[in-house]
């Protein structure tokens, strides 16, 4: 797998399935033998060998391998064994878990953000909290969602952000122009979107104003979170042990979407998570909420589009992000720990991130990169990428990383799908989903 445009969203959906299959591993691996004891006194000139699982393939892996080579040139006492780690990124968690039990695991691994709590619970991660407090690291330059994902329980910092994304509002200029509707602006509210969607919907041509997933997958769920957060709602209780999405903000958010789907008939309801993008590119859907991974396909299709931040409520335009991580793993060796941090700090610096994420059409990790010639060249190739990068500032809340989130996501995803298809009442469906989510969360913490 790579992080080229077009791949990120499908990757993140399968990542959740991997967590579901391995939810019990964390409690088992914490009892493993470990990798033995290494150096106890720091010697930054001592020979050190690190193992890095990139989770990438082909060009992406080769690029990271070349970056590792540059790092070792500057630090000749450090050797880095760079491997993909597994045949697909989804398999990395299982591979790490097996390695924890046998004491054979890397120093650094790519990890989906949804794995963060489980990896911390394994007892095998380094704690980089003190190191990232150094102003030179620029920890505050990462988005709030990315920082929270790297600190899954609000304390221990288990790694560095590896990839950031968010969803913005993408609109089809051809459909808007044909209907004589003014383009969206950054000041739009959801009521503005609803009004425009009604005008843009034409049953005669089977054109819809807006598209929404009803597959019941994480795609359905994560598109809902901004609606919830902007209304002041929360996914979980403050202690992270029970669900909170069925409170009044959640009901109001789902009722809003229901009214568009059932009363206005302005929503295209996608059961596949594939057709919205295809119909948008074919000028049959006027608006969708999506991220940087779709821009390459829209450019290839020749679709005339624009991008703005999500509509908001009372000036709150919060979006959702699903950051991934470079996780730092503990081998009880202070020299390996030192160079693990140094490599990750270097890799996520603006200079190296321009060679990595920005080169692959992803959003830059840090705001300071947005003015760079390298990023501006990508914006020219992928118009709207700059808007999405600026929208990272609206990614203020991290999607939960608790292992029970998988069951929670499935429960609310099914509820949303039923309501939008006219099969359930918002309040009743969310209350039922919250009970199922609480059961999933409790089971994950047993």
């Amino acid at each position: 797998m790579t992080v080229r445009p077009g791949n990120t969203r499908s990757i993140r959906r399968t990542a959740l399935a991997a967590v579901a299959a391995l939810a019990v591993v964390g409690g088992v691996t914490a009892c493993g033998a470990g990798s033995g004891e290494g150096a106890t006194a720091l010697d930054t000139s001592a020979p050190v060998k690190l193992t890095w699982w990139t989770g990438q393939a082909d060009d992406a892996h080769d690029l990271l391998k070349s970056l590792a080579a540059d790092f070792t040139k500057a630090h000749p006492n450090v050797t880095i064994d760079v491997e993909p780690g597994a045949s697909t990124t989804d398999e990395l968690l299982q591979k790490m878990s097996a390695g924890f039990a046998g004491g054979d695991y890397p120093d650094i691994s790519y990890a989906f953000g949804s794995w963060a709590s489980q990896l911390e619970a394994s007892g095998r991660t380094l704690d980089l909290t003190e190191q990232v407090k150094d102003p030179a690291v620029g920890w505050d330059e990462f988005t709030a969602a990315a920082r929270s994902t790297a600190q899954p329980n609000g304390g221990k910092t288990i790694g560095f952000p590896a990839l950031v994304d968010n969803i913005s509002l993408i609109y089809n200029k051809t459909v808007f122009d044909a209907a004589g509707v003014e383009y969206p602006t950054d000041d739009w509210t959801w009521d503005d979107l609803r009004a425009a969607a009604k005008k843009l919907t034409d049953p005669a041509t089977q054109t819809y104003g807006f598209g929404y997933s009803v597959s019941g997958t994480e795609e359905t769920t994560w598109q809902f979170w901004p609606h919830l957060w902007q209304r002041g709602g929360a996914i979980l209780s403050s202690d992270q042990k029970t669900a909170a999405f069925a409170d009044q903000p959640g009901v109001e958010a789902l009722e809003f979407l229901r009214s568009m789907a059932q009363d206005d008939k302005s929503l295209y309801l996608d059961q596949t998570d594939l057709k919205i993008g295809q119909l948008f590119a074919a000028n049959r859907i006027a608006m969708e909420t999506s991220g940087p991974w779709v821009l390459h396909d829209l450019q290839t299709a020749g679709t005339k589009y624009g991008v703005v931040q999500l509509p908001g409520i009372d000036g709150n335009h919060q979006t959702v992000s699903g950051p991934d991580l470079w996780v730092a793993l503990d081998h009880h060796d202070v020299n390996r720990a030192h160079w693990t941090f140094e490599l990750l700090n270097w890799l996520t610096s603006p200079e190296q991130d321009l060679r990595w994420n920005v080169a692959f059409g992803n959003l830059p990790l840090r705001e300071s990169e947005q003015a760079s010639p390298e990023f501006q060249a990508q914006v020219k190739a992928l118009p709207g990428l700059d808007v999405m990068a600026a929208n990272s500032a609206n990614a203020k809340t991290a999607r939960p990383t608790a292992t029970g989130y998988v069951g929670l996501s499935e429960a609310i995803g099914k509820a949303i799908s039923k309501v939008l298809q006219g099969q359930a009442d918002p309040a009743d469906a969310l209350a039922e989903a919250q009970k199922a989510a609480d059961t999933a969360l409790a089971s994950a913490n047993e």
Side-chain angles (χ1 to χ4, degrees), residues 170-181 183-184 200 280 283 285-287 303-307 383:
I170 307 176
Y171 59 95
N172 186 307
K173 292 183 177 180
T174 299
V175 180
F176 271 79
D177 291 344
V181 177
Y183 295 158
L200 293 158
F280 182 93
N283 305 324
I285 291 179
M287 294 176 284
T303 307
K304 296 180 180 179
Y305 68 90
V307 181

Side-chain angles (χ1 to χ4, degrees), residues 133-193:
K133 290 179 181 178
D134 184 344
V137 173
W139 187 250
D140 289 343
E141 295 176 16
F142 298 114
T143 67
R147 296 195 306 270
S148 296
T149 301
Q151 298 167 326
N153 292 308
K156 186 175 181 180
T157 305
I158 66 171
F160 275 72
L163 180 148
V164 296
D165 59 14
N166 63 71
I167 58 174
S168 304
L169 180 66
I170 307 176
Y171 59 95
N172 186 307
K173 292 183 177 180
T174 299
V175 180
F176 271 79
D177 291 344
V181 177
E182 292 186 4
Y183 295 158
T185 71
D186 282 335
D187 296 325
W188 258 27
T189 66
W190 287 106
D191 288 337
D192 291 327
L193 181 143

Side-chain angles (χ1 to χ4, degrees), residues 426-443:
D428 293 342
L430 287 178
E432 182 179 349
Q434 185 154 295
K435 290 179 182 178
D438 286 346
T439 299
L441 291 164
S443 298

Side-chain angles (χ1 to χ4, degrees), residues 208 210-214 261-262 267-271 276 420-421:
Y208 293 85
F210 192 47
Y212 199 94
S213 165
V214 290
Q262 294 300 314
L267 284 193
Y268 177 82
L269 302 178
D270 188 354
Q271 297 182 351
I276 289 176
L420 297 193
Q421 294 176 91

Side-chain angles (χ1 to χ4, degrees), residues 328-383:
L329 298 169
D330 189 6
H331 290 270
H332 308 289
D333 184 312
V334 294
N335 291 334
R336 291 172 72 171
H338 170 81
W339 287 109
T340 292
F341 166 77
E342 291 295 330
L343 174 58
L344 291 180
N345 188 34
W346 176 85
L347 178 68
T348 57
S349 67
E351 296 78 10
Q352 312 316 321
D353 194 52
L354 290 172
R355 300 171 59 191
W356 165 232
N357 274 310
V358 171
F360 269 77
N362 294 319
L363 298 183
L365 291 178
R366 301 170 185 262
E367 183 179 353
S368 60
E369 300 170 47
Q370 295 178 25
S372 68
E374 293 88 345
F375 182 65
Q376 292 306 312
Q378 286 288 28
V379 170
K380 186 175 181 180
L382 300 170

Side-chain angles (χ1 to χ4, degrees), residues 205-245:
T205 59
Q206 294 186 315
T207 302
Y208 293 85
F210 192 47
Y212 199 94
S213 165
V214 290
S215 65
T217 65
E218 173 65 8
E219 187 69 20
T220 302
T221 302
W222 100 311
Q223 295 278 348
F224 182 74
W225 296 144
H227 292 273
L228 176 72
W229 290 332
Q230 288 184 17
R231 287 171 170 80
I235 301 172
L236 296 175
S237 59
S238 58
D239 63 7
Q240 307 286 290
K241 293 182 179 179
T242 58
F245 56 73

Side-chain angles (χ1 to χ4, degrees), residues 372-435:
S372 68
E374 293 88 345
F375 182 65
Q376 292 306 312
Q378 286 288 28
V379 170
K380 186 175 181 180
L382 300 170
L385 193 64
D386 54 341
V387 177
M388 292 178 172
N391 192 36
S392 292
N394 289 315
K396 299 175 182 178
T397 305
R399 189 177 57 171
T401 61
T403 52
Y405 177 78
V406 176
L408 179 151
S409 175
E410 291 173 350
I412 191 174
K414 291 177 182 177
I416 294 168
S417 298
K418 287 182 180 179
V419 170
L420 297 193
Q421 294 176 91
Q423 300 168 358
D425 170 78
D428 293 342
L430 287 178
E432 182 179 349
Q434 185 154 295
K435 290 179 182 178

